[in-house]
Amino acid sequence: MRTVGRADGWAKVTGRAAYAGDVRLPGMLYAALVRSPHPHARLLRVVKDAAWSVPGVCAVLTGEDVPYGTYGRRVRDMPVLAREVVRFAGERVAAVAAHSLQAAREAARRVEVHYEPLPAVLDPEEALRPDAPRVHEAAWRYPGAVVGPDDPPNLQSRRVWQYGEDVDAVLSRCPYVFDETYTIPAAHQGYLEPHACVAWWKPDGSVEVWASNKSPHRLRAQLAACLGVPADRVRVMPVYVGGDFGGKGSPMDVPVCVALSQATGRPVKLVVDYEEDLTAANPRHSAVVRVRLGVDGEGRMQALDVRAVVDGGAYAAFKPVEHVNLNGFAEAGNTYRIRAVRIESLIAYTNTVPRGHMRSPGSLEANFAVESTVDVAARALRLDPLEFRLRNVLRTGDRGTLGEPWMEVRGEEVARAALAALREGEGAGEESTADGGRWARGVGFAFYCRAAHGGETEVELRPQPDGSVVVRVPFPDQGGGQHTVVRNVVQRELALPAEAVWVQQADTEELGTDSGVGGSRVSLTASAAAAQACAQLRERLRQEGLEGWELRAALAELARRRPGESVRAQVKVDEELWMNSFCVQAARVRVDRDTGEVRVDELVTALDVAGVLNPPSHRAQVEGGVVMGLGSALCEEVVMEDGRVVSGNLHEYRLPSVSTLPRLRVVLVPGGRGWGPYGVKPVGEMTNVAVAAAVANAVADAVGVRVRRLPISAEAVYRAMQEAGR
Amino acid sequence: MSARTVELFVNGRRVQAPVEGAEFLAEFLRERLGLAGTKVGCGIGACGLCTVWMDGQVVSSCLVPAVVAAGRHVWTVEGLTDLAEGRVTDAPPGLPSPQLVQAVQRAFVQCEGLQCGICTPGQVWAVCALLSEEPRPSEERVREFLAGNLCRCTGYQGILRAVRQASEEWAPSEDP
Ligand code: FES
Ligand code: FES
């Protein structure tokens, strides 16, 4: 039998699934934004007359007209509309609402803004120097700030992770120390739905919001804090989210949309252009990462020192974690046994687009730098890079690099599986080697290990008179398949056919708690909550004396006897799970010796898995991640010149297309120990991380040169070959 | 803004609505007619989200000025679904057959040809158009035909599996 497929599948193939930008309300107005062309400038004067002269215009707002506070996910440092000063090119300066989109755009074009350009700081290293121009006068005053008045100017966040012996002391005793520096540029999450929202400030003072946002409950709290109203006045309505990858977790333009609605008394829709999303949303941080790796005479890693200087852009508002840092850096070197580890991540404010999270934030940056360095070390020591990794790989029973008491580490098994798959594919699909020696071939590996974390969520089951069950969940399915996972669990626990289980997203008023889709945690908490709710439902049936009944008849009877009754289960996982998942990425590439062009022929991804709740969705998550990783490796960069993003749209910011893909091979290595009733391990952020390092290592294998900057362009490889005289 | 009225045929029905300035077909369909199944990503012809059918071929509706669509026959994903679900009585020649549309939609659902779904209406249209012309395309051909329909979520593997399944179902191979 064929699989039933995704729970949200039919809504999506028929075009019925509604996203934020699809909402249309009676009397709704359309919004457009005016953005700063300057990275840093004083706002002198805004002249609105010409904008008002466009027929159909209902509001023209500047910062002074907005009665709200600043906003942010943790640190509330971002103004709804700029006041007095603009801090990055692309910052919102004014907003217009009109009866049609065309009128709104025309009016926005006619808003006249006078600026006085100020000296801008565009580089994080420079920004941290004492004499650097300040992006914020007093960043420590913002609610949630993690810096103080004595910190270097422009410091946004600093974190240090260390464990074991003193790193410098151990490094000084190592016969081999590899000191390497890598650069990772800004990148866009690449979701294809640009940010969209509809907001309605209703006459009774309550606010309804439809937004391309993956964590509705957090959005509600963030909005309430910004608007200065109690959270129960804000209601976030369920809509599908058109891709997220870490980029759709903030209020983004919702506060300004609410301001326009409050000013006009009408619902307002604001959908930004893709250009605006690329240039002025919350792309991945750019980072320069220095790695020092000490190795002893037996080829064993002894010490690792990592220092990342990271560009956080003009605001910290888009980072959701406590220290507004990038926790992925803590993973540096975590696949190996290393006695002394020290990792520092310094994030600076600069006058560039504010940065946010992208799928496994910080992980790709750390992994590219460390796994490239590991390869450099292996080659210098004349060891096979895979053999060198296996000699040092962390094993079950070892403490992690930061002292983690992992319940298991399956690196070795996973690496062997990757190698076996790679050998099987050898030679397949390659064109003949009779190409005059133009193409050099190479193979590269990279290891990756990621910890799983908990979260909290709630699931509600409502029996229906026809014997089916409606399952209400507080989180959207932004594509990760969470609704399908929940459906499958309920189906399995109650032994119901798929068509008798309907998953719906509740709005924020209906269900109370959820930490949002993120950190790949939903499959953990939601599957546990769904299983618990099913047990409770069975218990209710027993109390009603219905346990002997055929289940659908029993559900129908319960719905008839107790109309509207439901059961709810909440799950909160706040302890550390000490569970990780291991991924070994291999890449087989060809490099054109004349031009430096890199072609990836095959990607083999081996992954440690435990229970898999929905194999097709699981596989799809793995594949989607790998292709995203390929984009980071080869083509994706948000290019900035003088602080302005110049990658204008998707013709310049190139995402991988189906026509240019290599062969993908996914090898699941079952038998891992997962968490919860189904023993699951998260997968969503596993496979996009290590592709870049694997490709860089394969290029080094092919032509003997090291590319230390992403993406790995033909020019960079060509230049490196020239310098190396190859 | 000066508005003029445009009249065209959408999903078999004659429609009239005002257009303003540089309004494109995608926006016209979504905002004037409320047919929000057609999505907009890049707005410049680089992603394929806005793919619709116009007079016999699939086009990027974000590139077609609404005034240029005057008098034309346009079919969106809503019309395609009507077709598949038997609500269209006099389909114009050249539209994909209802059985093909059913096979393609089913295959996308079953093969994880979608995740977030924002690219899906465009993908479904493109695949229906391809299989309608070439029931058994090679994988090379599929990749080339779908090159303009980006998908960030799936890594394309599920989409390729869906095309294979739909093609197999729609035009079963002769050999056993
Ligand atoms: S929106 Fe039309 S091609 Fe991207
Ligand atoms: S399913 Fe999300 S972009 Fe294709």
Side-chain angles (χ1 to χ4, degrees):
Chain A
M1 206 198 89
R2 288 210 182 101
T3 57
V4 196
R6 292 179 62 103
D8 51 356
W10 282 100
K12 289 174 177 176
V13 291
T14 55
R16 291 181 185 126
Y19 299 77
D22 300 345
V23 172
R24 281 204 318 172
L25 300 174
M28 187 176 81
L29 304 176
Y30 293 85
L33 300 174
V34 181
R35 296 177 182 275
S36 166
H38 302 287
H40 198 193
R42 200 176 310 288
L43 263 177
L44 299 177
R45 197 154 58 87
V46 180
V47 185
K48 302 176 180 177
D49 305 9
W52 274 114
S53 74
V54 175
V57 168
C58 303
V60 183
L61 302 183
T62 58
E64 277 65 39
D65 306 320
V66 178
Y68 313 150
T70 48
Y71 75 88
R73 296 172 80 175
R74 272 284 164 175
V75 178
R76 284 165 49 201
D77 60 357
M78 186 149 200
V80 174
L81 287 172
R83 287 189 189 197
E84 290 162 33
V85 56
V86 290
R87 299 187 177 89
F88 73 97
E91 181 157 5
R92 292 176 297 257
V93 170
V96 176
H99 286 287
S100 73
L101 186 53
Q102 295 298 325
R105 286 191 183 142
E106 180 57 31
R109 268 191 293 275
R110 294 198 199 177
V111 174
E112 236 177 78
V113 188
H114 298 266
Y115 301 93
E116 177 197 327
L118 296 169
V121 57
L122 306 175
D123 175 83
E125 195 86 58
E126 269 166 39
L128 294 171
R129 294 198 188 119
D131 55 343
R134 306 217 166 195
V135 180
H136 296 267
E137 273 317 311
W140 60 88
R141 292 227 177 88
Y142 293 115
V146 296
V147 292
D150 301 329
D151 280 315
N154 301 319
L155 184 72
Q156 200 176 86
S157 168
R158 173 173 182 265
R159 275 209 87 177
V160 176
W161 295 269
Q162 54 189 337
Y163 188 72
E165 294 166 49
D166 180 71
V167 170
D168 291 313
V170 179
L171 279 175
S172 69
R173 292 199 301 269
C174 284
Y176 307 103
V177 174
F178 300 91
D179 187 340
E180 294 265 315
T181 300
Y182 294 84
T183 304
I184 297 91
H188 190 265
Q189 293 85 355
Y191 43 76
L192 292 176
E193 172 206 40
H195 273 87
C197 56
V198 173
W200 190 7
W201 187 292
K202 296 169 100 170
D204 64 1
S206 66
V207 185
E208 283 182 5
V209 166
W210 292 256
S212 50
N213 182 291
K214 66 170 174 183
S215 32
H217 285 82
R218 291 190 172 172
L219 174 62
R220 179 172 66 163
Q222 291 151 1
L223 283 176
C226 170
L227 309 182
V229 302
D232 59 11
R233 242 69 66 88
V234 180
R235 184 169 184 177
V236 179
M237 310 300 277
V239 279
Y240 285 101
V241 178
D244 153 37
F245 316 112
K248 297 258 184 80
S250 81
M252 196 53 70
D253 304 314
V254 181
V256 73
C257 196
V258 173
L260 288 166
S261 177
Q262 188 181 12
T264 57
R266 290 167 174 260
V268 176
K269 182 194 282 197
L270 172 52
V271 181
V272 302
D273 287 345
Y274 208 90
E275 284 92 348
E276 294 179 86
D277 210 301
L278 256 175
T279 53
N282 57 350
R284 180 180 75 198
H285 292 69
S286 16
V288 175
V289 185
R290 179 175 174 202
V291 179
R292 289 190 303 153
L293 174 67
V295 183
D296 71 10
E298 264 97 73
R300 297 199 191 274
M301 300 179 195
Q302 297 296 321
L304 177 71
D305 183 27
V306 174
R307 184 175 187 271
V309 178
V310 181
D311 193 337
Y315 296 101
F318 297 116
K319 281 179 287 262
V321 295
E322 214 178 328
H323 300 273
V324 293
N325 212 294
L326 299 170
N327 287 337
F329 279 114
E331 296 163 351
N334 71 348
T335 48
Y336 305 110
R337 288 171 166 162
I338 309 176
R339 283 163 52 199
V341 173
R342 182 179 180 282
I343 304 160
E344 179 178 20
S345 165
L346 285 162
I347 305 187
Y349 280 114
T350 65
N351 291 116
T352 62
V353 56
R355 307 300 208 283
H357 274 190
M358 179 160 169
R359 201 174 194 170
S360 353
S363 303
L364 180 136
E365 295 88 321
N367 191 265
F368 176 62
V370 172
E371 281 299 275
S372 295
T373 305
V374 166
D375 228 64
V376 168
R379 288 175 198 283
L381 299 171
R382 304 195 180 287
L383 291 168
D384 173 75
L386 183 60
E387 169 50 33
F388 179 54
R389 287 182 169 85
L390 286 172
R391 189 175 294 183
N392 288 283
V393 74
L394 202 70
R395 294 183 168 80
T396 301
D398 293 340
R399 284 239 163 208
T401 36
L402 298 178
E404 303 92 331
W406 299 123
M407 63 177 176
E408 64 177 356
V409 187
R410 304 179 69 224
E412 211 173 346
E413 289 160 81
V414 177
R416 305 253 175 248
L419 189 62
L422 195 70
R423 290 222 171 106
E424 256 171 56
E426 223 145 70
E430 277 171 27
E431 282 124 66
S432 90
T433 41
D435 51 19
R438 181 175 151 206
W439 294 100
R441 291 178 162 75
V443 171
F445 291 89
F447 285 11
Y448 177 57
C449 178
R450 182 180 187 81
H453 298 287
E456 65 178 320
T457 197
E458 186 174 7
V459 167
E460 181 190 40
L461 302 180
R462 291 187 183 173
Q464 303 295 306
D466 66 350
S468 64
V469 178
V470 168
V471 186
R472 314 263 292 165
V473 295
F475 48 83
D477 190 327
Q478 30 55 300
Q482 300 85 2
H483 289 185
T484 308
V485 159
V486 169
R487 183 202 63 195
N488 288 9
V489 169
V490 172
Q491 211 192 314
R492 226 192 282 186
E493 293 291 324
L494 297 178
L496 286 171
E499 63 275 12
V501 182
W502 294 87
V503 182
Q504 291 174 359
Q505 185 193 341
D507 75 47
T508 49
E509 234 160 61
E510 298 167 305
L511 288 183
T513 44
D514 184 57
S515 43
V517 186
S520 319
R521 64 175 79 86
V522 170
S523 53
L524 251 68
T525 51
S527 60
Q532 260 180 41
C534 289
Q536 287 174 25
L537 184 58
R538 283 197 180 277
E539 176 56 21
R540 274 298 294 131
L541 294 175
R542 204 188 53 75
Q543 287 164 357
E544 293 284 329
L546 296 170
E547 74 264 45
W549 292 44
E550 189 269 322
L551 193 81
R552 293 192 67 165
L555 292 170
E557 177 61 17
L558 182 64
R560 199 188 55 76
R561 279 189 208 166
R562 317 258 170 212
E565 187 178 300
S566 65
V567 297
R568 285 180 184 201
Q570 276 185 21
V571 163
K572 182 169 185 172
V573 188
D574 44 15
E575 80 276 19
E576 281 295 344
L577 305 174
W578 303 126
M579 173 173 95
N580 64 43
S581 191
F582 212 102
C583 172
V584 171
Q585 180 64 52
R588 194 193 290 287
V589 309
R590 263 185 293 169
V591 181
D592 186 330
R593 294 187 218 267
D594 299 335
T595 65
E597 182 192 341
V598 176
R599 290 208 195 149
V600 178
D601 286 323
E602 183 173 31
L603 290 171
V604 172
T605 310
L607 192 66
D608 152 33
V609 297
V612 175
L613 284 164
N614 185 38
S617 293
H618 184 269
R619 176 172 179 180
Q621 282 293 303
V622 172
E623 292 166 343
V626 173
V627 173
M628 194 167 192
L630 186 68
S632 296
L634 293 184
C635 49
E636 292 180 34
E637 174 175 6
V638 168
V639 180
M640 292 187 216
E641 280 169 18
D642 303 325
R644 295 176 185 85
V645 174
V646 295
S647 314
N649 203 323
L650 288 172
H651 60 309
E652 282 161 336
Y653 188 84
R654 290 222 168 252
L655 302 176
S657 140
V658 68
S659 56
T660 54
L661 286 188
R663 215 149 11 110
L664 302 189
R665 242 139 53 100
V666 175
V667 186
L668 301 182
V669 186
R673 283 166 61 195
W675 182 86
Y678 288 94
V680 294
K681 285 191 181 196
V683 65
E685 293 173 286
M686 286 302 300
T687 57
N688 57 305
V689 175
V691 180
V695 171
N697 293 340
V699 169
D701 188 46
V703 288
V705 300
R706 179 59 53 185
V707 181
R708 293 185 170 82
R709 187 187 191 288
L710 292 179
I712 302 164
S713 64
E715 298 90 277
V717 177
Y718 178 80
R719 231 178 300 122
M721 288 193 300
Q722 293 280 306
E723 277 161 25
R726 286 173 211 267
Chain B
M1 299 226 78
S2 62
R4 50 186 283 200
T5 299
V6 164
E7 184 180 303
L8 64 157
F9 301 87
V10 177
N11 299 332
R13 279 181 288 273
R14 179 196 299 267
V15 297
Q16 260 193 1
V19 303
E20 275 176 72
E23 191 167 324
F24 285 85
L25 179 58
E27 185 189 328
F28 178 84
L29 293 168
R30 290 175 53 82
E31 303 297 343
R32 306 276 180 193
L33 306 182
L35 295 170
T38 301
K39 306 304 178 196
V40 176
C42 67
I44 59 156
C47 75
L49 259 62
C50 63
T51 304
V52 299
W53 189 92
M54 187 165 84
D55 285 343
Q57 53 183 330
V58 282
V59 297
S60 294
S61 60
C62 72
L63 292 180
V64 179
V67 291
V68 170
R72 311 269 198 134
H73 291 261
V74 172
W75 284 72
T76 68
V77 66
E78 289 88 351
L80 196 68
T81 301
D82 284 345
L83 201 65
E85 295 177 357
R87 284 188 297 274
V88 177
T89 42
D90 48 351
L95 272 184
S97 105
Q99 289 78 12
L100 172 60
V101 182
Q102 288 168 2
V104 171
Q105 289 184 329
R106 195 163 45 236
F108 268 81
V109 175
Q110 291 178 341
C111 305
E112 291 275 328
L114 60 91
Q115 288 184 26
C116 81
I118 202 79
C119 71
T120 311
Q123 304 278 6
V124 166
W125 249 124
V127 173
C128 284
L130 171 64
L131 296 185
S132 192
E133 295 282 310
E134 301 170 51
R136 297 193 58 77
S138 67
E139 172 141 343
E140 268 313 295
R141 174 69 179 135
V142 175
R143 285 175 184 261
E144 172 203 7
F145 193 86
L146 296 181
N149 287 84
L150 297 181
C151 176
R152 182 56 149 181
C153 299
T154 62
Y156 303 102
Q157 308 301 301
I159 294 173
L160 292 172
R161 286 192 282 272
V163 178
R164 223 171 297 136
Q165 174 178 317
S167 157
E168 195 53 50
E169 196 174 306
W170 169 238
S173 48
E174 308 287 295
D175 31 70

